[in-house]
């Protein structure tokens, strides 16, 4: 039996062509808070999802995971509650202004995550540099480590 997206007016079906096009299908979550968010977003009257009910990646900010988008980390749903892709939000009844705003929120979220990663990596590098500096001050044979650290700083 072919699974179909449960979003209103969505005709996506879980078949080979859809998967090749980068469309993924996700089950409605069992986690009660996340499930409520998803069902409110789906916004279907008298909709009671079954175990096999799914929603396609086109309903999430970021849409399909095509080959061009694969380097992007959050091209489909995301498990971080702060992410705009945590719950589906791109439906046929969603206005274009809301869709543009959701895409902008996703871009800001990704930029914030990248800044946090860079800051974390810089902190780790500073700790490593201080450890190497402490060791090299004690033992003159470790002077070559300073040149290694300068190479690491350049990357």
């Amino acid at each position: 039996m072919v699974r179909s997206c449960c979003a209103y007016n969505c005709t996506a079906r879980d078949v080979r062509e859809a998967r090749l096009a980068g469309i993924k299908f996700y089950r409605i979550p069992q986690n009660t808070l996340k499930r409520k968010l998803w069902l409110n977003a789906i916004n279907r009257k008298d909709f009671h999802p079954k175990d096999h009910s799914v929603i396609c990646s086109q309903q999430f900010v970021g849409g399909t995971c095509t080959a061009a988008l694969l380097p992007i980390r959050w091209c489909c749903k995301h498990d971080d509650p702060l992410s705009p892709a945590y719950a589906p939000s791109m439906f046929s009844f969603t206005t274009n202004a809301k869709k543009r705003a959701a895409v902008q929120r996703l871009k800001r979220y990704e930029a914030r995550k990248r800044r946090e990663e860079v800051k974390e990596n810089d902190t780790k590098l500073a700790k490593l540099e201080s450890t190497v500096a402490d060791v090299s001050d004690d033992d003159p044979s470790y002077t070559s480590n300073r040149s290694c650290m300068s190479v690491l700083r350049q990357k």
Side-chain angles (χ1 to χ4, degrees), residues 6-7 26-30 34-36 38-40 42 44-55:
C6 65
Y26 305 105
R27 288 185 180 164
I28 306 296
Q30 297 299 318
K34 193 172 187 180
R35 184 181 185 91
K36 277 185 182 180
W38 281 38
L39 293 178
N40 285 339
I42 291 170
R44 284 183 55 187
K45 190 176 185 178
D46 298 327
F47 175 62
H48 304 287
K50 308 267 189 289
D51 290 339
H52 61 273
S53 297
V54 293
I55 190 162

Side-chain angles (χ1 to χ4, degrees), residues 67-141:
L69 292 175
L70 285 178
I72 298 175
R73 291 176 295 181
W74 323 121
C75 60
C76 297
K77 78 171 180 83
H78 196 265
D79 291 330
D80 183 4
L82 299 176
S83 171
Y86 183 68
S89 60
M90 307 295 268
F91 299 98
S92 61
F93 54 83
T94 308
T95 62
N96 286 335
K98 286 186 178 183
K99 288 179 181 179
R100 283 192 301 271
V103 169
Q104 289 302 316
R105 277 194 310 274
L106 180 66
K107 288 179 181 177
R108 286 193 304 270
Y109 174 80
E110 290 174 346
R112 184 175 62 238
K113 284 295 184 185
R114 280 193 300 272
R115 283 191 307 269
E116 289 172 359
E117 285 179 5
V118 167
K119 188 175 181 179
E120 185 179 317
N121 289 340
D122 287 346
T123 314
K124 288 178 182 177
L125 185 60
K127 286 181 181 178
L128 183 62
E129 285 176 340
S130 66
T131 304
V132 169
D134 292 344
V135 170
S136 63
D137 290 342
D138 297 341
D139 189 354
S141 65

Side-chain angles (χ1 to χ4, degrees), residues 13 16 148:
R13 302 180 85 190
R16 184 173 188 265
C148 293

Side-chain angles (χ1 to χ4, degrees), residues 133-152:
D134 292 344
V135 170
S136 63
D137 290 342
D138 297 341
D139 189 354
S141 65
Y142 285 101
T143 54
S144 64
N145 283 340
R146 288 186 182 164
S147 62
C148 293
M149 290 309 295
S150 65
V151 170
L152 282 175

